Amino acid sequence: MNSQHPIRALTSPEVEQLVDWARIEGWNPGLADAPAIYAADRQGFIGCFVDGKMAAGISAVRYGSAFGFIGLYIAHPDFRGKGFGRRVWDAGMAHLNGRAIGLDGVPEQQANYRSMGFETAYETFRWSGSLEGSPDAEVAAITDDLVPAIVVYDRSFFPAERSAFLAQWLKPPRNAKVIIRDGHIRGYAVCRQCHDGYKIGPLFAQTTADAQRLLDAFSAELGNKTLHIDVPAAQTEFCAYLEAHHFTKGFTTARMYRGPAPAVQMSGVFGITTLELG
């Protein structure tokens, strides 16, 4: 390690700083994302420092024993082109050594990621708009006693168990809702305020109709506020619903994996959780 440019795990305030860099980059994180994402893996947020200042950072979060996810890969503008970004990338990959690794790559970086062994699994489109929405008797708030069941349900749609993250992600100020029918969870979603509007993620459900019910329930509470959802391209019926309600398709990414692509029920993934943590 270069003692003049140390690389180390970030503290909680430094994770706040990295998330604010994401805001400056126009990535529109949630207003209270940092404490929740830090809980996912306290060693998984890594920075390179120059004269005590963070020059570059990355999230390389371990989930379970076999999966990891790369995000928040940012070099400060004052330190770009000097190799500090590559150093945190290498440190992040070392932290995830031996695991299948996922990331959400923007189009201009996908060739670079492919050169490092990542392969595209699917495309994701960000849909933005608003709905009038309506309350639904089947949609309820997620209370503390439901969290263990949500963690189990979530595992069908995400590559690994993530109880530490969900324990925080399901709490206020985020708004978490669930559909329970005949004693079984049929879908759940989380809505959080961002610098621009609100993001919904994850949005997992057994059917398109249940995904729509969850979306409508949030819309009923938020009024005419702008909603953003990162939807896998294969969800054509749900995308058609959004388009019919005047949502617009914008930001595009590709979910890419290095190593075996995890087995998840993609038919139930209507909105990914975050571009930063999967």
Side-chain angles (χ1 to χ4, degrees):
M1 179 184 291
N2 186 332
S3 59
Q4 290 183 311
H5 304 143
I7 292 177
R8 60 168 173 78
L10 301 182
T11 64
S12 179
E14 289 164 347
V15 173
E16 294 269 10
Q17 181 182 352
L18 184 59
V19 171
D20 194 56
W21 287 4
R23 176 192 62 80
I24 294 167
E25 291 294 315
W27 297 357
N28 195 30
L31 299 184
D33 278 6
I37 67 175
Y38 186 51
D41 178 0
R42 293 180 183 273
Q43 299 301 309
F45 297 85
I46 299 166
C48 179
F49 291 80
V50 176
D51 297 328
K53 296 181 179 179
M54 186 161 60
I58 197 169
S59 58
V61 170
R62 291 175 171 176
Y63 292 108
S65 60
F67 183 64
F69 200 87
I70 292 284
L72 290 171
Y73 179 32
I74 311 173
H76 189 278
D78 292 347
F79 295 100
R80 289 178 183 170
K82 300 178 181 180
F84 299 122
R86 183 56 193 252
R87 292 192 66 207
V88 295
W89 172 271
D90 290 343
M93 295 299 283
H95 184 65
L96 302 180
N97 186 44
R99 296 164 179 260
I101 303 172
L103 57 79
D104 287 311
V106 295
E108 56 268 28
Q109 289 295 328
Q110 289 167 19
N112 185 38
Y113 294 137
R114 280 193 290 272
S115 74
M116 292 185 281
F118 286 82
E119 297 182 2
T120 298
Y122 58 88
E123 280 193 307
T124 298
F125 299 113
R126 177 163 295 172
W127 288 87
S128 301
S130 60
L131 290 167
E132 283 190 15
S134 58
D136 190 314
E138 286 195 320
V139 178
I142 294 177
T143 49
D144 289 347
D145 60 303
L146 288 173
V147 171
I150 294 290
V151 169
V152 173
Y153 182 79
D154 180 85
R155 178 62 185 87
S156 295
F157 309 102
F158 191 78
E161 187 267 355
R162 49 179 180 169
S163 56
F165 168 72
L166 289 175
Q168 297 301 316
W169 199 247
L170 297 172
K171 289 181 179 179
R174 286 161 296 278
N175 184 357
K177 295 188 181 298
V178 63
I179 293 176
I180 299 176
R181 188 180 299 120
D182 300 326
H184 298 284
I185 295 173
R186 306 297 294 174
Y188 94 95
V190 177
C191 179
R192 71 197 197 278
Q193 186 175 6
C194 297
H195 294 274
D196 169 30
Y198 292 75
K199 284 184 183 175
I200 294 179
L203 176 53
F204 298 156
Q206 304 304 122
T207 66
T208 302
D210 283 334
Q212 292 170 5
R213 287 188 182 96
L214 287 161
L215 178 62
D216 285 357
F218 287 125
S219 300
E221 293 180 2
L222 292 172
N224 203 34
K225 301 291 177 59
T226 300
L227 301 175
H228 306 283
I229 316 171
D230 294 306
V231 184
Q235 293 289 9
T236 54
E237 185 181 355
F238 187 60
C239 290
Y241 173 82
L242 294 173
E243 189 168 24
H245 287 80
H246 309 294
F247 276 62
T248 57
K249 185 168 68 173
F251 195 65
T252 303
T253 55
R255 173 61 58 88
M256 306 178 77
Y257 292 112
R258 193 177 85 165
V264 298
Q265 293 181 21
M266 285 303 302
S267 62
V269 179
F270 293 90
I272 67 169
T273 307
T274 73
L275 297 179
E276 294 78 29
L277 267 71

